[in-house]
Amino acid sequence: MPKSLDTIMASLGAHVAEERVKGPVRSFQDLQERVQHRAQMYEDVQYIEEQVQMLQRMLHSMPSLPPEPEVLWANAVLALPNLTLLEIDTTGLSEDAEIVRVTLLDRTGTIIDDILIKPKDPLTPRLSEINGIRNEDLEHAPSIREAWSRIEQCLQGRYIVSFAQNFDRDKLSEAAHRDQLPRINFIGEDLQMHLGHFLGNSYIKLADACARVGHPLPERPHQTGVDRAKGQLHVLQAMANAVTSCTTSLPKPGVENSEDLSFDLNDHPF
């Protein structure tokens, strides 16, 4: 039966102490005995080093712990009375993409407003599959110019959290520039960035994050902006509770879902 590490450590300590008190070599036989003795000691040290390396590998393979600052951030944000989750649907990722839906939820998951906006051109079947909006849903919807003041009013005085917030800001700025509308400014933070720090995976998409925390989004084309806004809230609540996953099988960092229906499998974060 192999000796335990405790036994080897105790024996090694005793042998080292014994060697130290022996003093100079007294004879050739004494030398041979000491060489043999020390060879065993070095063998024990090597065994201990191997066991330590194995334990280090085990430690490195353990699930990472969520960083406490991100947990505290999520709790602080959820405590804000004016917290608002924002979701913006567009006709694409390019600068000329139009906004077709703006959804806002409060911290309880209640809809503040859900604004459908009629684009200049009809939605393609592909777009409808991605955003869950049909052309018939937009038949009586206002234009972006008609809806602009309503969007501005909804964002005013609120602390906005959204997934990939730079995308949302860019689309609002592009719409304002294209239609010569007043620029809309708001304060807030990017949930995707904080989630990336929380999970150690900056590439994770909202749908994957929702699945991890036990609140998967509906399958497309039944997934809407309201579902994604609620998904953001579920993710934020999970972060506040330091929950990194409710599943045992997780996607590897940077690996995309091959069944994802983002715009031509581009870098859309949803």
Side-chain angles (χ1 to χ4, degrees):
M1 179 180 293
K3 296 180 180 179
S4 69
L5 275 178
D6 288 343
T7 302
I8 293 174
M9 288 289 292
S11 174
L12 184 60
H15 289 160
V16 169
E18 183 182 340
E19 280 290 309
R20 283 178 173 175
V21 300
K22 282 184 176 180
V25 175
R26 295 184 298 274
S27 65
F28 180 64
Q29 182 179 353
D30 184 30
L31 172 62
Q32 289 180 312
E33 290 175 355
R34 292 198 191 191
V35 168
Q36 185 177 2
H37 194 208
R38 293 194 184 188
Q40 181 60 51
M41 292 168 62
Y42 284 122
E43 186 177 327
D44 289 345
V45 168
Q46 183 178 0
Y47 177 77
I48 293 170
E49 289 175 343
E50 290 171 354
Q51 294 303 303
V52 169
Q53 290 174 2
M54 183 181 70
L55 289 171
Q56 287 176 333
R57 289 193 295 270
M58 291 172 63
L59 283 171
H60 290 317
S61 67
M62 292 172 63
S64 60
L65 298 176
E68 187 177 357
E70 295 300 340
V71 177
L72 296 175
W73 170 82
N75 277 280
V77 167
L78 283 169
L80 295 173
N82 63 341
L83 170 64
T84 300
L85 287 305
L86 170 67
E87 185 69 30
I88 293 181
D89 285 310
T90 68
T91 58
L93 302 176
S94 61
E95 289 187 10
D96 60 352
E98 297 182 77
I99 297 173
V100 291
R101 189 173 201 162
V102 177
T103 305
L104 301 102
L105 303 184
D106 67 15
R107 62 179 180 172
T108 69
T110 302
I111 296 176
I112 297 171
D113 207 344
D114 185 25
I115 309 168
L116 289 169
I117 301 162
K118 190 171 185 176
K120 295 180 176 64
D121 299 313
L123 300 180
T124 64
R126 171 71 168 171
L127 286 172
S128 292
E129 187 175 12
I130 292 169
N131 57 36
I133 303 172
R134 303 167 301 174
N135 282 306
E136 49 264 41
D137 298 328
L138 304 174
E139 187 175 348
H140 302 293
S143 66
I144 188 67
R145 178 173 292 276
E146 294 168 332
W148 197 251
S149 61
R150 181 176 163 189
I151 297 171
E152 185 176 25
Q153 184 177 3
C154 287
L155 293 171
Q156 192 173 26
R158 301 184 185 276
Y159 191 84
I160 307 299
V161 169
S162 59
F163 205 84
Q165 192 164 108
N166 284 340
F167 175 84
D168 299 328
R169 291 183 184 276
D170 288 346
K171 292 306 154 195
L172 288 169
S173 295
E174 290 160 8
H177 178 75
R178 185 168 52 244
D179 290 273
Q180 297 183 335
L181 298 166
R183 187 178 180 123
I184 293 179
N185 295 308
F186 61 85
I187 60 170
E189 292 191 70
D190 183 2
L191 176 59
Q192 186 182 38
M193 181 191 71
H194 283 279
L195 179 64
H197 294 157
F198 179 74
L199 296 177
N201 179 5
S202 59
Y203 297 98
I204 192 166
K205 294 189 176 184
L206 178 61
D208 294 332
C210 290
R212 282 181 66 139
V213 300
H215 293 278
L217 297 176
E219 295 293 329
R220 292 184 171 103
H222 307 293
Q223 182 189 125
T224 68
V226 174
D227 296 318
R228 289 187 288 277
K230 289 182 178 179
Q232 291 186 47
L233 180 57
H234 288 312
V235 169
L236 189 58
Q237 290 168 338
M239 291 175 64
N241 287 296
V243 175
T244 57
S245 177
C246 293
T247 64
T248 56
S249 178
L250 304 177
K252 294 180 181 179
V255 176
E256 301 294 345
N257 184 350
S258 61
E259 296 180 358
D260 179 49
L261 289 174
S262 57
F263 296 100
D264 295 327
L265 299 179
N266 255 327
D267 295 329
H268 201 284
F270 310 127

